[in-house]
Amino acid sequence: MTHWWRHAAIYQIYVRSFADGNGDGTGDLAGVRSRLPYLRELGVDALWFNPWYTSPMADGGYDVADYRDIDPLFGSLAEAEQLITEAHGHGLRVLVDLVPNHCSDQHAWFRAALAAGPGAPERERFWFVPGRGGSGELPPNDWVSYFGGSAWTRVTEADGSAGPWYLHMFAPEQPDLNWEHPEVRAEFEDILRFWLDRGVDGFRIDVAHGLAKKPGLPDVGPDPDVTDLPYQDCDEVHDIYRSWRKILDSYDGDRTFVGEVWLPAAEQTARYLRPDELHSAFNFDFLCCPWDAAALRGVVDSTFAGHAPVGAPPTWVLSNHDTIRHVTRYGREDTSFDMGDKRLLDPSDPVLGRRRARAAALLTLSLPGGVYVYQGDELGLPEVQDLPDALIQDPTFERSGGVDRGRDGCRIPLPWQSGGPSLGFSPPGAKAPWLPQPADWAELSASAQEADPDSFLTLYRAALALRRERLTSLGETLTWVDAGRDTVCFDRGDAFRCLVNLGDPVALPPDARVLMASAELDEPGVLPRDTAVWLER
Ligand code: NOJ
């Protein structure tokens, strides 16, 4: 039997922007439940939910205050249980997001740590460290938060005195947990069981490379080796996943872990995918790759080479809730992405971006391995680049002094219908959506695209159906075909070929039948630029 997660199409749901059931302008579990038939018809195999737990939403739910409950904005625990059951009833598996590197500053543990005062054992579950300088006025080391600024915030004690500093690799509202503490380990093992007992099919692990820190928390220094940073990919992290894997494997039902492992070297990532650790990881090298044939072929090759030694399946992903939507990226002069880059208002050609995004869809959906579809990819949604400053909620905007526009532009509430104040995101009479939708998204709505044979939605539905019917049984390898310098072309099995052309028009093989094309083939037998076809040979 092949494990489902080796070739699954997994749809990512950013709950607060997917569908609003109760009319408060924020997406919720009721909204998701009402759209389960849409997801089944789309043809995906599983759903990954971004964090839905109790949270003050300082970082869109990645600041968890209670890992065993649902935020009231989204619904209740009973409703999550119902949703899991209903999703299963539609043949959809469910992955939930586990956030183990940090919790919210409103989590009971952190509140207790602050309240307990200097030197208290409650503080040992976090990283409370005295500052440097004559009176501890300088942070304990030079680490910089992924969101900008120092990774340390100084505590003001109950009596008003300045205390030690605590570590937060993200926002100050997200204190890092100390994974050397046995209670932290025990707590997360229990949280895993809590959700496994409720029937989830697996977990997406947030910042999977970050949990362990180098002993002594040494400075990074001025010219660090990026493959050897003291706050990521420390060896001890692997013990955590080995113990989690034992727990997961003790449950029935072929459950899975996917890691957000974002590291510079493929060998580093592969270590997380050893047979007794995680099952798969997001392929950020592929996501970041520019729209360039040689670069794409290279990243596909390096992905297979990196995964082969550990026997893990590759995954393919074009966009997620942290990155610039690829419709917009691919329409820019620089089509690459780098998480470290600031999100700026770079111009993008929408026609070009859409054309390439359609071709990229056929590429990712036909490569062997797992594939992720971020909500709205199937509608061809672009990044919203012109949100007014006053509406931006992503903490990266403020922490970068407004230089980085942040990630809200890829988190705009989905358009479901062509009319109405929220394009069907909320029920009639609801509050305005938590982020405004551009007026021209009416034509991108799911209902507008449903009956249009040339729409993105139609393309995704047809491709996902064909993938399920014919491709997943074709094994886990591909054979490269040389179809020209500017092409990405490969065979799977004896009868299937994917050909993507990024350059001047190329001839199609004369004996091949076109199963699907990402754009019209104006001249018979010729594949235009920025177009992909699936062929039966
Ligand atoms: C990665 C998540 O995808 C991102 O949205 C979040 O801000 C950080 N981890 C911190 O949890």
Side-chain angles (χ1 to χ4, degrees), residues 12 14 48 50 59-63 97 99 101-102 146-147 170-171 174 204 206-207 260 320-322 339 394-396 407 411:
Q12 179 190 349
Y14 192 72
W48 150 36
N50 285 107
D59 181 23
Y62 282 95
D63 46 322
D97 213 314
V99 190
N101 179 68
H102 46 265
Y146 291 108
F147 287 170
F170 294 88
Q174 295 166 293
R204 175 265 187 191
D206 190 55
V207 209
E260 188 207 23
N320 71 23
H321 66 293
D322 291 330
M339 196 58 188
D394 184 4
T396 58
R407 300 162 294 179
R411 300 172 175 180

PDB file of all heavy atoms in Angstrom, residues 12 14 48 50 59-63 97 99 101-102 146-147 170-171 174 204 206-207 260 320-322 339 394-396 407 411, ligand 1:
ATOM      1  N   GLN A  12      -4.573  24.216   1.751  1.00  0.00           N
ATOM      2  CA  GLN A  12      -4.296  24.981   2.968  1.00  0.00           C
ATOM      3  C   GLN A  12      -5.415  25.972   3.246  1.00  0.00           C
ATOM      4  O   GLN A  12      -5.719  26.822   2.413  1.00  0.00           O
ATOM      5  CB  GLN A  12      -2.972  25.734   2.818  1.00  0.00           C
ATOM      6  CG  GLN A  12      -2.649  26.561   4.049  1.00  0.00           C
ATOM      7  CD  GLN A  12      -1.490  27.511   3.854  1.00  0.00           C
ATOM      8  OE1 GLN A  12      -0.774  27.425   2.856  1.00  0.00           O
ATOM      9  NE2 GLN A  12      -1.294  28.402   4.807  1.00  0.00           N
ATOM     10  N   TYR A  14      -6.503  29.020   5.517  1.00  0.00           N
ATOM     11  CA  TYR A  14      -6.210  30.089   6.460  1.00  0.00           C
ATOM     12  C   TYR A  14      -7.578  30.543   6.972  1.00  0.00           C
ATOM     13  O   TYR A  14      -8.273  31.345   6.347  1.00  0.00           O
ATOM     14  CB  TYR A  14      -5.464  31.223   5.736  1.00  0.00           C
ATOM     15  CG  TYR A  14      -4.861  32.238   6.666  1.00  0.00           C
ATOM     16  CD1 TYR A  14      -3.741  31.933   7.434  1.00  0.00           C
ATOM     17  CD2 TYR A  14      -5.404  33.510   6.785  1.00  0.00           C
ATOM     18  CE1 TYR A  14      -3.188  32.869   8.301  1.00  0.00           C
ATOM     19  CE2 TYR A  14      -4.857  34.452   7.648  1.00  0.00           C
ATOM     20  CZ  TYR A  14      -3.743  34.117   8.396  1.00  0.00           C
ATOM     21  OH  TYR A  14      -3.193  35.049   9.266  1.00  0.00           O
ATOM     22  N   TRP A  48      -5.195  21.308   5.336  1.00  0.00           N
ATOM     23  CA  TRP A  48      -4.322  21.740   6.437  1.00  0.00           C
ATOM     24  C   TRP A  48      -4.886  23.062   6.943  1.00  0.00           C
ATOM     25  O   TRP A  48      -5.007  24.016   6.188  1.00  0.00           O
ATOM     26  CB  TRP A  48      -2.871  21.890   5.954  1.00  0.00           C
ATOM     27  CG  TRP A  48      -2.071  22.940   6.685  1.00  0.00           C
ATOM     28  CD1 TRP A  48      -2.145  23.268   8.010  1.00  0.00           C
ATOM     29  CD2 TRP A  48      -1.093  23.828   6.123  1.00  0.00           C
ATOM     30  NE1 TRP A  48      -1.272  24.292   8.306  1.00  0.00           N
ATOM     31  CE2 TRP A  48      -0.621  24.650   7.181  1.00  0.00           C
ATOM     32  CE3 TRP A  48      -0.556  23.994   4.844  1.00  0.00           C
ATOM     33  CZ2 TRP A  48       0.359  25.637   6.972  1.00  0.00           C
ATOM     34  CZ3 TRP A  48       0.420  24.966   4.649  1.00  0.00           C
ATOM     35  CH2 TRP A  48       0.864  25.774   5.698  1.00  0.00           C
ATOM     36  N   ASN A  50      -4.500  26.321   9.201  1.00  0.00           N
ATOM     37  CA  ASN A  50      -3.622  27.183   9.991  1.00  0.00           C
ATOM     38  C   ASN A  50      -4.192  27.233  11.410  1.00  0.00           C
ATOM     39  O   ASN A  50      -5.344  26.872  11.625  1.00  0.00           O
ATOM     40  CB  ASN A  50      -3.557  28.578   9.365  1.00  0.00           C
ATOM     41  CG  ASN A  50      -2.692  28.594   8.108  1.00  0.00           C
ATOM     42  OD1 ASN A  50      -3.192  28.694   7.000  1.00  0.00           O
ATOM     43  ND2 ASN A  50      -1.403  28.457   8.281  1.00  0.00           N
ATOM     44  N   ASP A  59      -0.227  37.336  15.981  1.00  0.00           N
ATOM     45  CA  ASP A  59       0.390  36.866  14.736  1.00  0.00           C
ATOM     46  C   ASP A  59      -0.566  35.881  14.047  1.00  0.00           C
ATOM     47  O   ASP A  59      -0.205  34.746  13.739  1.00  0.00           O
ATOM     48  CB  ASP A  59       1.755  36.219  15.026  1.00  0.00           C
ATOM     49  CG  ASP A  59       2.442  35.726  13.748  1.00  0.00           C
ATOM     50  OD1 ASP A  59       2.120  36.248  12.662  1.00  0.00           O
ATOM     51  OD2 ASP A  59       3.294  34.818  13.843  1.00  0.00           O
ATOM     52  N   GLY A  60      -1.794  36.324  13.855  1.00  0.00           N
ATOM     53  CA  GLY A  60      -2.771  35.521  13.116  1.00  0.00           C
ATOM     54  C   GLY A  60      -3.000  34.137  13.678  1.00  0.00           C
ATOM     55  O   GLY A  60      -3.284  33.208  12.923  1.00  0.00           O
ATOM     56  N   GLY A  61      -2.841  33.959  14.993  1.00  0.00           N
ATOM     57  CA  GLY A  61      -3.100  32.649  15.588  1.00  0.00           C
ATOM     58  C   GLY A  61      -1.836  31.837  15.853  1.00  0.00           C
ATOM     59  O   GLY A  61      -1.896  30.793  16.505  1.00  0.00           O
ATOM     60  N   TYR A  62      -0.687  32.308  15.349  1.00  0.00           N
ATOM     61  CA  TYR A  62       0.582  31.629  15.662  1.00  0.00           C
ATOM     62  C   TYR A  62       1.097  32.049  17.037  1.00  0.00           C
ATOM     63  O   TYR A  62       2.254  31.822  17.373  1.00  0.00           O
ATOM     64  CB  TYR A  62       1.618  31.869  14.568  1.00  0.00           C
ATOM     65  CG  TYR A  62       1.361  30.987  13.362  1.00  0.00           C
ATOM     66  CD1 TYR A  62       0.625  31.454  12.286  1.00  0.00           C
ATOM     67  CD2 TYR A  62       1.805  29.674  13.333  1.00  0.00           C
ATOM     68  CE1 TYR A  62       0.361  30.629  11.193  1.00  0.00           C
ATOM     69  CE2 TYR A  62       1.545  28.850  12.253  1.00  0.00           C
ATOM     70  CZ  TYR A  62       0.822  29.324  11.187  1.00  0.00           C
ATOM     71  OH  TYR A  62       0.563  28.502  10.126  1.00  0.00           O
ATOM     72  N   ASP A  63       0.237  32.676  17.795  1.00  0.00           N
ATOM     73  CA  ASP A  63       0.512  33.019  19.192  1.00  0.00           C
ATOM     74  C   ASP A  63      -0.600  32.320  19.983  1.00  0.00           C
ATOM     75  O   ASP A  63      -1.663  32.873  20.187  1.00  0.00           O
ATOM     76  CB  ASP A  63       0.504  34.540  19.399  1.00  0.00           C
ATOM     77  CG  ASP A  63      -0.692  35.239  18.736  1.00  0.00           C
ATOM     78  OD1 ASP A  63      -1.106  34.853  17.624  1.00  0.00           O
ATOM     79  OD2 ASP A  63      -1.234  36.171  19.354  1.00  0.00           O
ATOM     80  N   ASP A  97      -2.299  22.574  12.578  1.00  0.00           N
ATOM     81  CA  ASP A  97      -1.016  23.250  12.699  1.00  0.00           C
ATOM     82  C   ASP A  97      -0.578  23.182  14.156  1.00  0.00           C
ATOM     83  O   ASP A  97      -1.338  23.571  15.051  1.00  0.00           O
ATOM     84  CB  ASP A  97      -1.236  24.721  12.288  1.00  0.00           C
ATOM     85  CG  ASP A  97      -0.039  25.338  11.611  1.00  0.00           C
ATOM     86  OD1 ASP A  97       1.073  25.155  12.129  1.00  0.00           O
ATOM     87  OD2 ASP A  97      -0.231  26.017  10.590  1.00  0.00           O
ATOM     88  N   VAL A  99       2.134  24.520  16.909  1.00  0.00           N
ATOM     89  CA  VAL A  99       3.078  25.643  17.058  1.00  0.00           C
ATOM     90  C   VAL A  99       3.895  25.420  18.334  1.00  0.00           C
ATOM     91  O   VAL A  99       3.537  25.932  19.409  1.00  0.00           O
ATOM     92  CB  VAL A  99       2.315  26.988  17.118  1.00  0.00           C
ATOM     93  CG1 VAL A  99       3.282  28.165  17.024  1.00  0.00           C
ATOM     94  CG2 VAL A  99       1.266  27.075  16.017  1.00  0.00           C
ATOM     95  N   ASN A 101       7.321  26.051  18.915  1.00  0.00           N
ATOM     96  CA  ASN A 101       8.514  26.851  19.223  1.00  0.00           C
ATOM     97  C   ASN A 101       8.216  27.927  20.257  1.00  0.00           C
ATOM     98  O   ASN A 101       9.064  28.273  21.065  1.00  0.00           O
ATOM     99  CB  ASN A 101       9.053  27.503  17.943  1.00  0.00           C
ATOM    100  CG  ASN A 101      10.281  28.350  18.219  1.00  0.00           C
ATOM    101  OD1 ASN A 101      11.341  27.820  18.555  1.00  0.00           O
ATOM    102  ND2 ASN A 101      10.140  29.662  18.123  1.00  0.00           N
ATOM    103  N   HIS A 102       6.999  28.428  20.198  1.00  0.00           N
ATOM    104  CA  HIS A 102       6.622  29.540  21.071  1.00  0.00           C
ATOM    105  C   HIS A 102       5.136  29.446  21.358  1.00  0.00           C
ATOM    106  O   HIS A 102       4.401  28.764  20.640  1.00  0.00           O
ATOM    107  CB  HIS A 102       6.929  30.875  20.393  1.00  0.00           C
ATOM    108  CG  HIS A 102       6.471  30.909  18.957  1.00  0.00           C
ATOM    109  ND1 HIS A 102       7.306  30.618  17.896  1.00  0.00           N
ATOM    110  CD2 HIS A 102       5.256  31.137  18.396  1.00  0.00           C
ATOM    111  CE1 HIS A 102       6.630  30.679  16.761  1.00  0.00           C
ATOM    112  NE2 HIS A 102       5.371  30.988  17.033  1.00  0.00           N
ATOM    113  N   TYR A 146      12.941  37.036  13.693  1.00  0.00           N
ATOM    114  CA  TYR A 146      12.594  36.839  12.274  1.00  0.00           C
ATOM    115  C   TYR A 146      11.681  37.970  11.786  1.00  0.00           C
ATOM    116  O   TYR A 146      11.557  38.191  10.596  1.00  0.00           O
ATOM    117  CB  TYR A 146      11.871  35.501  12.071  1.00  0.00           C
ATOM    118  CG  TYR A 146      12.727  34.278  12.270  1.00  0.00           C
ATOM    119  CD1 TYR A 146      12.563  33.455  13.390  1.00  0.00           C
ATOM    120  CD2 TYR A 146      13.688  33.911  11.331  1.00  0.00           C
ATOM    121  CE1 TYR A 146      13.325  32.303  13.573  1.00  0.00           C
ATOM    122  CE2 TYR A 146      14.467  32.763  11.504  1.00  0.00           C
ATOM    123  CZ  TYR A 146      14.277  31.961  12.620  1.00  0.00           C
ATOM    124  OH  TYR A 146      15.033  30.832  12.785  1.00  0.00           O
ATOM    125  N   PHE A 147      11.015  38.616  12.716  1.00  0.00           N
ATOM    126  CA  PHE A 147      10.121  39.722  12.335  1.00  0.00           C
ATOM    127  C   PHE A 147      10.811  41.086  12.416  1.00  0.00           C
ATOM    128  O   PHE A 147      10.169  42.118  12.311  1.00  0.00           O
ATOM    129  CB  PHE A 147       8.889  39.757  13.255  1.00  0.00           C
ATOM    130  CG  PHE A 147       7.886  38.653  13.003  1.00  0.00           C
ATOM    131  CD1 PHE A 147       6.842  38.443  13.905  1.00  0.00           C
ATOM    132  CD2 PHE A 147       7.958  37.842  11.888  1.00  0.00           C
ATOM    133  CE1 PHE A 147       5.899  37.446  13.694  1.00  0.00           C
ATOM    134  CE2 PHE A 147       7.028  36.833  11.663  1.00  0.00           C
ATOM    135  CZ  PHE A 147       5.999  36.634  12.572  1.00  0.00           C
ATOM    136  N   PHE A 170      10.120  35.482  17.255  1.00  0.00           N
ATOM    137  CA  PHE A 170       9.139  36.181  16.404  1.00  0.00           C
ATOM    138  C   PHE A 170       8.705  37.445  17.158  1.00  0.00           C
ATOM    139  O   PHE A 170       9.557  38.165  17.658  1.00  0.00           O
ATOM    140  CB  PHE A 170       8.002  35.221  16.024  1.00  0.00           C
ATOM    141  CG  PHE A 170       8.522  34.107  15.128  1.00  0.00           C
ATOM    142  CD1 PHE A 170       9.039  32.922  15.661  1.00  0.00           C
ATOM    143  CD2 PHE A 170       8.551  34.271  13.751  1.00  0.00           C
ATOM    144  CE1 PHE A 170       9.558  31.929  14.838  1.00  0.00           C
ATOM    145  CE2 PHE A 170       9.069  33.284  12.924  1.00  0.00           C
ATOM    146  CZ  PHE A 170       9.568  32.111  13.471  1.00  0.00           C
ATOM    147  N   ALA A 171       7.418  37.710  17.302  1.00  0.00           N
ATOM    148  CA  ALA A 171       6.980  38.944  17.961  1.00  0.00           C
ATOM    149  C   ALA A 171       7.170  38.833  19.486  1.00  0.00           C
ATOM    150  O   ALA A 171       7.219  37.716  20.026  1.00  0.00           O
ATOM    151  CB  ALA A 171       5.518  39.206  17.626  1.00  0.00           C
ATOM    152  N   GLN A 174       5.147  36.409  21.427  1.00  0.00           N
ATOM    153  CA  GLN A 174       5.369  34.980  21.145  1.00  0.00           C
ATOM    154  C   GLN A 174       6.641  34.478  21.843  1.00  0.00           C
ATOM    155  O   GLN A 174       7.651  34.207  21.182  1.00  0.00           O
ATOM    156  CB  GLN A 174       5.478  34.762  19.628  1.00  0.00           C
ATOM    157  CG  GLN A 174       4.191  35.077  18.871  1.00  0.00           C
ATOM    158  CD  GLN A 174       4.403  35.175  17.365  1.00  0.00           C
ATOM    159  OE1 GLN A 174       5.074  36.078  16.891  1.00  0.00           O
ATOM    160  NE2 GLN A 174       3.848  34.254  16.617  1.00  0.00           N
ATOM    161  N   ARG A 204       0.949  19.836  10.804  1.00  0.00           N
ATOM    162  CA  ARG A 204       1.962  20.666  10.152  1.00  0.00           C
ATOM    163  C   ARG A 204       2.719  21.318  11.312  1.00  0.00           C
ATOM    164  O   ARG A 204       2.115  21.874  12.220  1.00  0.00           O
ATOM    165  CB  ARG A 204       1.264  21.690   9.266  1.00  0.00           C
ATOM    166  CG  ARG A 204       2.191  22.713   8.600  1.00  0.00           C
ATOM    167  CD  ARG A 204       2.278  23.995   9.402  1.00  0.00           C
ATOM    168  NE  ARG A 204       3.022  25.022   8.694  1.00  0.00           N
ATOM    169  CZ  ARG A 204       3.416  26.158   9.255  1.00  0.00           C
ATOM    170  NH1 ARG A 204       3.148  26.429  10.505  1.00  0.00           N
ATOM    171  NH2 ARG A 204       4.080  27.036   8.553  1.00  0.00           N
ATOM    172  N   ASP A 206       5.054  24.013  12.869  1.00  0.00           N
ATOM    173  CA  ASP A 206       5.538  25.372  12.668  1.00  0.00           C
ATOM    174  C   ASP A 206       6.999  25.487  13.097  1.00  0.00           C
ATOM    175  O   ASP A 206       7.381  24.976  14.156  1.00  0.00           O
ATOM    176  CB  ASP A 206       4.656  26.314  13.512  1.00  0.00           C
ATOM    177  CG  ASP A 206       4.902  27.775  13.203  1.00  0.00           C
ATOM    178  OD1 ASP A 206       4.782  28.144  12.026  1.00  0.00           O
ATOM    179  OD2 ASP A 206       5.210  28.536  14.135  1.00  0.00           O
ATOM    180  N   VAL A 207       7.783  26.183  12.298  1.00  0.00           N
ATOM    181  CA  VAL A 207       9.215  26.430  12.603  1.00  0.00           C
ATOM    182  C   VAL A 207       9.875  25.157  13.142  1.00  0.00           C
ATOM    183  O   VAL A 207      10.546  25.187  14.184  1.00  0.00           O
ATOM    184  CB  VAL A 207       9.423  27.566  13.642  1.00  0.00           C
ATOM    185  CG1 VAL A 207      10.765  28.250  13.415  1.00  0.00           C
ATOM    186  CG2 VAL A 207       8.331  28.591  13.643  1.00  0.00           C
ATOM    187  N   GLU A 260       7.487  22.475   8.698  1.00  0.00           N
ATOM    188  CA  GLU A 260       7.940  23.734   8.102  1.00  0.00           C
ATOM    189  C   GLU A 260       9.434  23.811   8.420  1.00  0.00           C
ATOM    190  O   GLU A 260       9.841  24.366   9.432  1.00  0.00           O
ATOM    191  CB  GLU A 260       7.195  24.943   8.688  1.00  0.00           C
ATOM    192  CG  GLU A 260       7.527  26.209   7.919  1.00  0.00           C
ATOM    193  CD  GLU A 260       7.397  27.497   8.728  1.00  0.00           C
ATOM    194  OE1 GLU A 260       7.467  27.453   9.972  1.00  0.00           O
ATOM    195  OE2 GLU A 260       7.254  28.554   8.121  1.00  0.00           O
ATOM    196  N   ASN A 320       1.997  30.265   0.025  1.00  0.00           N
ATOM    197  CA  ASN A 320       1.301  30.000   1.281  1.00  0.00           C
ATOM    198  C   ASN A 320       0.977  31.321   1.971  1.00  0.00           C
ATOM    199  O   ASN A 320       1.156  32.388   1.352  1.00  0.00           O
ATOM    200  CB  ASN A 320       2.074  29.011   2.166  1.00  0.00           C
ATOM    201  CG  ASN A 320       3.336  29.602   2.760  1.00  0.00           C
ATOM    202  OD1 ASN A 320       3.476  30.819   2.892  1.00  0.00           O
ATOM    203  ND2 ASN A 320       4.267  28.759   3.141  1.00  0.00           N
ATOM    204  N   HIS A 321       0.539  31.258   3.212  1.00  0.00           N
ATOM    205  CA  HIS A 321       0.073  32.458   3.900  1.00  0.00           C
ATOM    206  C   HIS A 321       1.207  33.389   4.334  1.00  0.00           C
ATOM    207  O   HIS A 321       0.946  34.408   4.965  1.00  0.00           O
ATOM    208  CB  HIS A 321      -0.734  32.026   5.132  1.00  0.00           C
ATOM    209  CG  HIS A 321       0.126  31.334   6.141  1.00  0.00           C
ATOM    210  ND1 HIS A 321       0.707  30.109   5.894  1.00  0.00           N
ATOM    211  CD2 HIS A 321       0.559  31.706   7.366  1.00  0.00           C
ATOM    212  CE1 HIS A 321       1.448  29.758   6.933  1.00  0.00           C
ATOM    213  NE2 HIS A 321       1.364  30.710   7.844  1.00  0.00           N
ATOM    214  N   ASP A 322       2.450  33.012   4.045  1.00  0.00           N
ATOM    215  CA  ASP A 322       3.594  33.853   4.414  1.00  0.00           C
ATOM    216  C   ASP A 322       4.276  34.476   3.199  1.00  0.00           C
ATOM    217  O   ASP A 322       5.194  35.288   3.362  1.00  0.00           O
ATOM    218  CB  ASP A 322       4.660  33.015   5.141  1.00  0.00           C
ATOM    219  CG  ASP A 322       4.216  32.545   6.517  1.00  0.00           C
ATOM    220  OD1 ASP A 322       3.419  33.259   7.165  1.00  0.00           O
ATOM    221  OD2 ASP A 322       4.661  31.457   6.935  1.00  0.00           O
ATOM    222  N   MET A 339      12.204  34.679   1.729  1.00  0.00           N
ATOM    223  CA  MET A 339      11.494  35.062   2.951  1.00  0.00           C
ATOM    224  C   MET A 339      12.177  36.246   3.640  1.00  0.00           C
ATOM    225  O   MET A 339      11.528  37.043   4.294  1.00  0.00           O
ATOM    226  CB  MET A 339      11.462  33.845   3.880  1.00  0.00           C
ATOM    227  CG  MET A 339      10.461  33.954   4.988  1.00  0.00           C
ATOM    228  SD  MET A 339       8.785  34.198   4.349  1.00  0.00           S
ATOM    229  CE  MET A 339       7.942  34.529   5.872  1.00  0.00           C
ATOM    230  N   ASP A 394      -0.462  42.578  10.006  1.00  0.00           N
ATOM    231  CA  ASP A 394       0.682  41.690  10.208  1.00  0.00           C
ATOM    232  C   ASP A 394       1.764  42.402  11.048  1.00  0.00           C
ATOM    233  O   ASP A 394       2.185  43.504  10.687  1.00  0.00           O
ATOM    234  CB  ASP A 394       1.245  41.290   8.836  1.00  0.00           C
ATOM    235  CG  ASP A 394       2.367  40.285   8.965  1.00  0.00           C
ATOM    236  OD1 ASP A 394       2.655  39.838  10.092  1.00  0.00           O
ATOM    237  OD2 ASP A 394       2.971  39.939   7.931  1.00  0.00           O
ATOM    238  N   PRO A 395       2.222  41.751  12.131  1.00  0.00           N
ATOM    239  CA  PRO A 395       3.216  42.415  12.989  1.00  0.00           C
ATOM    240  C   PRO A 395       4.520  42.775  12.273  1.00  0.00           C
ATOM    241  O   PRO A 395       5.241  43.669  12.711  1.00  0.00           O
ATOM    242  CB  PRO A 395       3.477  41.395  14.106  1.00  0.00           C
ATOM    243  CG  PRO A 395       2.935  40.086  13.626  1.00  0.00           C
ATOM    244  CD  PRO A 395       1.841  40.434  12.650  1.00  0.00           C
ATOM    245  N   THR A 396       4.811  42.108  11.155  1.00  0.00           N
ATOM    246  CA  THR A 396       6.078  42.419  10.465  1.00  0.00           C
ATOM    247  C   THR A 396       6.071  43.845   9.921  1.00  0.00           C
ATOM    248  O   THR A 396       7.121  44.458   9.773  1.00  0.00           O
ATOM    249  CB  THR A 396       6.350  41.441   9.301  1.00  0.00           C
ATOM    250  OG1 THR A 396       5.274  41.492   8.384  1.00  0.00           O
ATOM    251  CG2 THR A 396       6.496  40.020   9.792  1.00  0.00           C
ATOM    252  N   ARG A 407       2.411  40.337   5.370  1.00  0.00           N
ATOM    253  CA  ARG A 407       1.813  39.196   4.670  1.00  0.00           C
ATOM    254  C   ARG A 407       0.305  39.301   4.481  1.00  0.00           C
ATOM    255  O   ARG A 407      -0.325  38.373   3.985  1.00  0.00           O
ATOM    256  CB  ARG A 407       2.164  37.917   5.446  1.00  0.00           C
ATOM    257  CG  ARG A 407       3.665  37.681   5.556  1.00  0.00           C
ATOM    258  CD  ARG A 407       4.031  36.709   6.663  1.00  0.00           C
ATOM    259  NE  ARG A 407       3.709  37.258   7.969  1.00  0.00           N
ATOM    260  CZ  ARG A 407       3.896  36.629   9.129  1.00  0.00           C
ATOM    261  NH1 ARG A 407       4.402  35.414   9.118  1.00  0.00           N
ATOM    262  NH2 ARG A 407       3.567  37.202  10.268  1.00  0.00           N
ATOM    263  N   ARG A 411      -3.532  37.236   2.391  1.00  0.00           N
ATOM    264  CA  ARG A 411      -4.500  36.695   3.355  1.00  0.00           C
ATOM    265  C   ARG A 411      -5.856  37.379   3.231  1.00  0.00           C
ATOM    266  O   ARG A 411      -6.627  37.446   4.200  1.00  0.00           O
ATOM    267  CB  ARG A 411      -3.957  36.903   4.774  1.00  0.00           C
ATOM    268  CG  ARG A 411      -2.626  36.222   5.007  1.00  0.00           C
ATOM    269  CD  ARG A 411      -2.021  36.595   6.343  1.00  0.00           C
ATOM    270  NE  ARG A 411      -0.797  35.830   6.590  1.00  0.00           N
ATOM    271  CZ  ARG A 411      -0.050  35.935   7.677  1.00  0.00           C
ATOM    272  NH1 ARG A 411      -0.404  36.797   8.638  1.00  0.00           N
ATOM    273  NH2 ARG A 411       1.039  35.217   7.826  1.00  0.00           N
TER     274      ARG A 411
HETATM  275  C1  NOJ B   1       5.672  30.310  10.375  1.00  0.00           C
HETATM  276  C2  NOJ B   1       4.234  30.616  10.076  1.00  0.00           C
HETATM  277  O1  NOJ B   1       3.910  30.089   8.820  1.00  0.00           O
HETATM  278  C3  NOJ B   1       4.100  32.117  10.142  1.00  0.00           C
HETATM  279  O2  NOJ B   1       2.861  32.551   9.671  1.00  0.00           O
HETATM  280  C4  NOJ B   1       4.329  32.547  11.572  1.00  0.00           C
HETATM  281  O3  NOJ B   1       4.325  33.961  11.641  1.00  0.00           O
HETATM  282  C5  NOJ B   1       5.676  32.043  12.094  1.00  0.00           C
HETATM  283  N1  NOJ B   1       5.938  30.682  11.742  1.00  0.00           N
HETATM  284  C6  NOJ B   1       5.725  32.128  13.594  1.00  0.00           C
HETATM  285  O4  NOJ B   1       4.878  31.188  14.173  1.00  0.00           O
END
